[in-house]
Amino acid sequence: MTINHSRRKLLIFGIGLSLATPRLYAAQKAVRVSMMSDARQITVSLPAADKRSRVFRLGAPERVVIDMPVASFPPELEHALTVVRQKFPWIEEGRIAHFSPDVARIVLTVKGKPVITRTTENGVMKVVITEEGLAAQTAVQALPLATKAPLAEKPLLVMIDPGHGGKDPGAIGNEGTYEKHVVLHIAKRLQTLLDQQHGIHAVLTRQDDVFIPLYHRVSLAHQHEADLFISIHADGFTNDQVSGASVFALSEHGAGSAMARYLSQSENSVDVLYDNDFKTDDEYLKETLFDLDQHETIHRSMDFGSHLAANIVKVHHMHSPHPEQAGFAVLKSPRIPSVLVETSFITNKQEEKLLGEPVFQEKMARALAEGINSYFLNEKKNNLLS
Ligand SMILES: [Zn+2]
């Protein structure tokens, strides 16, 4: 509303000015996009400690998404991007728009599968996007560079969400065990285990037996700029024979309805997750940006779920061996990989007993902590974390 409309406008390559030579763009300190003169590489420099700095790929069609933490982008950037399209035959299309008032997003639609390498030095994350053919020639040099990236200086933040609480007891076992209580025990054990590790910090959505609305749990994760969100449950089922743990990520269908909700003017979810200024009349732009994010996040959530499942199965049997997908409201963060873990069924006699035992709670918490570690290690290996 307070934003100048032109800043939100979707800009398509080819309609801007053309420049004779590729040029350098500097929006603010540590944020820079430059194009190599051989037209085969784009280098992006972003502040490494800023979690809004992101570069990732999306398939079908192949795209590279660059998020830059800048409040405004001058016309020079539009000009530079015009040059990219004209001089870089492997780039089919490019757009730039404000993803949120303080993040500018470039989306490049590319031919082939460009290679992305990341290095971090002196607080600056340098990302090099190389044309597929050239990447093959320089792969030997590019790989060691990428693996040398140091670990993040800022601790990775895990938001642990013990399900239910307060007036919402969750499921209740036949022996009178409350889901809201056992999941809080497991969540607190998980927090202790994670906080003992260097480089990881864990925060709970609730410390006590209090009611917290679902959207508020998602909002808390965003306020803390969480790297991961894990909701812990021990739900019930009408059939008391059903048993075992399950891991869920958001379904594409769920994402679709989540998007509808977020974008609906009558709902205030947009205000929770984004700045109020993000409200725009340009529905197409909002959907495009949201869709890109949610798609990438679901992919990472499923990956996170696989790491959890692989560790849970060592301490307890799984109801389903692979992560499943469902439309749980707490998983609807557009940007934070999120999963919901059903540690077991409180309505199953044996499992109700297990859930009340500190030994089982600790075993489950350890399995979750190991799954989280294993996911983070893999992300670092793939250079998805700065
Ligand atoms: Zn539950």
Side-chain angles (χ1 to χ4, degrees):
M1 276 173 275
T2 54
I3 275 194
N4 174 339
H5 184 72
S6 67
R7 268 173 55 197
R8 291 194 220 113
K9 201 169 57 183
L10 198 66
L11 301 164
I12 308 292
F13 283 146
I15 57 168
L17 294 172
S18 93
L19 298 171
T21 51
R23 50 188 299 176
L24 199 72
Y25 162 70
Q28 66 187 49
K29 213 176 169 192
V31 177
R32 210 162 71 168
V33 181
S34 62
M35 277 66 76
M36 300 276 285
S37 55
D38 67 357
R40 289 179 143 187
Q41 281 192 338
I42 295 174
T43 304
V44 186
S45 297
L46 301 165
D50 195 322
K51 288 189 178 176
R52 295 167 303 173
S53 301
R54 300 200 314 162
V55 178
F56 57 91
R57 268 173 57 180
L58 292 169
E62 194 71 33
R63 282 156 298 171
V64 177
V65 181
I66 304 161
D67 278 355
M68 304 178 293
V70 290
S72 63
F73 46 83
E76 289 95 296
L77 181 58
E78 297 166 33
H79 300 167
L81 292 175
T82 305
V83 173
V84 169
R85 194 203 167 195
Q86 292 175 349
K87 297 229 169 201
F88 290 48
W90 54 288
I91 294 183
E92 278 181 345
E93 191 197 24
R95 307 187 300 253
I96 182 164
H98 262 278
F99 174 71
S100 65
D102 56 358
V103 176
R105 167 168 286 187
I106 294 175
V107 180
L108 302 170
T109 306
V110 295
K111 290 176 192 155
K113 290 189 188 301
V115 171
I116 303 176
T117 59
R118 288 158 226 250
T119 50
T120 303
E121 206 175 312
N122 299 328
V124 178
M125 173 169 56
K126 188 174 160 191
V127 183
V128 181
I129 303 154
T130 312
E131 186 190 0
E132 192 179 18
L134 184 69
Q137 294 162 26
T138 57
V140 181
Q141 291 98 316
L143 272 175
L145 264 180
T147 52
K148 258 191 253 162
L151 301 185
E153 291 161 25
K154 229 175 166 183
L156 294 163
L157 196 133
V158 180
M159 180 62 66
I160 306 168
D161 175 45
H164 314 281
K167 67 182 179 187
D168 169 19
I172 302 171
N174 291 324
E175 304 294 319
T177 309
Y178 279 53
E179 178 185 2
K180 64 174 183 177
H181 295 318
V182 293
V183 297
L184 183 60
H185 291 313
I186 297 173
K188 284 186 169 174
R189 289 176 186 276
L190 175 59
Q191 183 188 32
T192 304
L193 290 167
L194 290 176
D195 276 345
Q196 282 165 0
Q197 302 190 41
H198 181 71
I200 299 183
H201 180 48
V203 179
L204 294 170
T205 52
R206 67 176 176 98
Q207 304 266 0
D208 309 294
D209 184 17
V210 290
F211 175 77
I212 302 176
L214 296 176
Y215 75 86
H216 189 54
R217 298 170 191 252
V218 177
S219 157
L220 277 171
H222 280 258
Q223 282 167 26
H224 282 85
E225 299 187 335
D227 294 284
L228 278 183
F229 179 91
I230 177 170
S231 191
I232 301 176
H233 290 251
D235 277 349
F237 195 62
T238 46
N239 179 347
D240 64 8
Q241 297 305 302
V242 172
S243 68
S246 326
V247 178
F248 292 90
L250 189 65
S251 63
E252 295 286 346
H253 174 71
S257 42
M259 181 175 78
R261 231 186 84 204
Y262 286 129
L263 300 181
S264 158
Q265 292 290 335
S266 61
E267 293 280 345
N268 62 2
S269 306
V270 168
D271 303 346
V272 172
L273 299 179
Y274 298 104
D275 195 286
N276 217 10
D277 286 341
F278 189 56
K279 277 180 184 165
T280 158
D281 299 333
D282 194 337
E283 291 298 322
Y284 170 74
L285 169 58
K286 282 198 297 188
E287 283 186 28
T288 304
L289 296 177
F290 190 99
D291 194 41
L292 285 172
D293 248 19
Q294 189 79 80
H295 194 82
E296 159 78 0
T297 303
I298 289 176
H299 181 77
R300 293 174 78 186
S301 301
M302 286 298 281
D303 184 41
F304 174 33
S306 302
H307 285 268
L308 288 174
N311 283 280
I312 293 171
V313 79
K314 294 174 190 167
V315 301
H316 194 55
H317 77 279
M318 300 286 294
H319 179 64
S320 161
H322 303 293
E324 297 170 75
Q325 290 181 276
F328 291 113
V330 286
L331 302 181
K332 290 175 180 176
S333 283
R335 307 190 78 165
I336 303 168
S338 305
V339 299
L340 185 147
V341 179
E342 296 287 2
T343 52
S344 45
F345 283 88
I346 208 163
T347 41
N348 177 281
K349 204 175 171 187
Q350 286 79 32
E351 296 203 330
E352 179 180 4
K353 191 165 169 286
L354 271 180
L355 282 162
E357 291 172 2
V359 174
F360 178 78
Q361 293 169 0
E362 185 68 14
K363 269 204 292 194
M364 183 56 71
R366 278 192 188 277
L368 299 178
E370 280 174 20
I372 289 166
N373 266 329
S374 149
Y375 169 79
F376 278 147
L377 280 174
N378 195 55
E379 289 268 290
K380 278 171 187 162
K381 208 169 72 192
N382 293 331
N383 276 301
L384 288 170
L385 295 169
S386 56

